[in-house]
Amino acid sequence: MPLDEYASKRDFDRTAEPPPSQGPGPGNTYVIQKHDASRLHYDLRLESDGVLLSWAVPKGPSLNPAHKRLAVRTEDHPLEYGDFEGTIPEDEYGGGTVMVWDSGTFESIKDLPLAEAVEQGRLEVRIRGRKLKGNWALIQMKGRGEKNWLLIKMDDEHADRETDITETAPDSVLTGRSIRQIAEQG
Ligand code: MN
């Protein structure tokens, strides 16, 4: 089952994260969650076949096409996870604070189903988020562990070599809250 790994890592009596359930496809949800866990990182999620394919991006996305940001593939998440904002108990998997940092839709630029592009290790998508827009590439690093990918802004009118979007737009697109406010309010 696609969400077995997701389910096996969590105790749903203890965490407010949604239990596994596969949604109807096809949809095109895009979301990035800012996750203040043992280490702050950003979780990029793209919908495919009723689940959210997921990558953890330690430094977060950069609008500068010269920046290649490590993106580590993680377990698929249920679609409902895209709206999850709150705290995960400290002693649970991923314990810490989760914010919906950006959300919207995406489409594959190439005429290729997303699952096939993932299989081939190269995704090119057009993102329509509140913060991120335009074309982005996700490229699997060969020979360095199949979980390691690179997230790269492709050069277009939405590229920006000066602005650090994680600094200029740090708060939730869902509630406008900061990580600190979410941590305090749950
Ligand atoms: Mn995470």
Side-chain angles (χ1 to χ4, degrees):
M1 292 295 287
L3 293 171
D4 278 357
E5 187 181 349
Y6 174 85
S8 72
K9 288 181 166 167
R10 293 170 173 80
D11 179 350
F12 296 101
D13 291 333
R14 306 212 51 208
T15 180
E17 295 166 290
S21 76
Q22 198 166 0
N28 60 345
T29 297
Y30 143 79
V31 62
I32 292 181
Q33 279 155 318
K34 187 168 166 180
H35 187 182
D36 189 12
S38 46
R39 219 173 201 179
L40 181 76
H41 61 274
Y42 294 76
D43 290 300
L44 166 65
R45 311 193 197 279
L46 300 173
E47 180 174 355
S48 175
D49 295 328
V51 298
L52 295 172
L53 307 183
S54 299
W55 288 262
V57 185
K59 287 185 166 177
S62 171
L63 303 181
N64 186 341
H67 292 168
K68 298 174 170 65
R69 291 288 162 86
L70 178 66
V72 181
R73 182 87 190 272
T74 56
E75 76 275 18
D76 297 346
H77 280 50
L79 292 184
E80 291 82 355
Y81 207 95
D83 292 330
F84 177 73
E85 186 167 282
T87 52
I88 301 169
E90 282 304 334
D91 51 350
E92 293 298 300
Y93 178 74
T97 308
V98 178
M99 168 201 288
V100 180
W101 182 77
D102 195 21
S103 67
T105 60
F106 77 98
E107 64 196 25
S108 188
I109 297 168
K110 289 181 176 170
D111 190 18
L112 191 68
L114 199 70
E116 246 172 82
V118 169
E119 201 62 38
Q120 292 178 14
R122 189 181 180 94
L123 288 181
E124 291 181 18
V125 293
R126 184 169 298 118
I127 289 175
R128 292 195 178 86
R130 302 266 297 277
K131 294 176 183 174
L132 301 194
K133 297 173 194 301
N135 296 347
W136 293 75
L138 265 166
I139 298 161
Q140 193 171 25
M141 295 168 77
K142 301 291 177 198
R144 298 217 194 161
E146 58 183 21
K147 286 182 184 297
N148 290 343
W149 295 60
L150 295 171
L151 174 66
I152 305 165
K153 179 74 194 80
M154 295 167 74
D155 207 354
D156 60 20
E157 72 271 29
H158 300 291
D160 183 337
R161 289 161 179 80
E162 259 120 65
T163 307
D164 180 349
I165 187 95
T166 63
E167 293 287 333
T168 58
D171 297 335
S172 169
V173 293
L174 196 64
T175 60
R177 295 183 296 173
S178 66
I179 275 282
R180 193 170 157 191
Q181 287 171 316
I182 297 167
E184 285 167 2
Q185 297 165 4

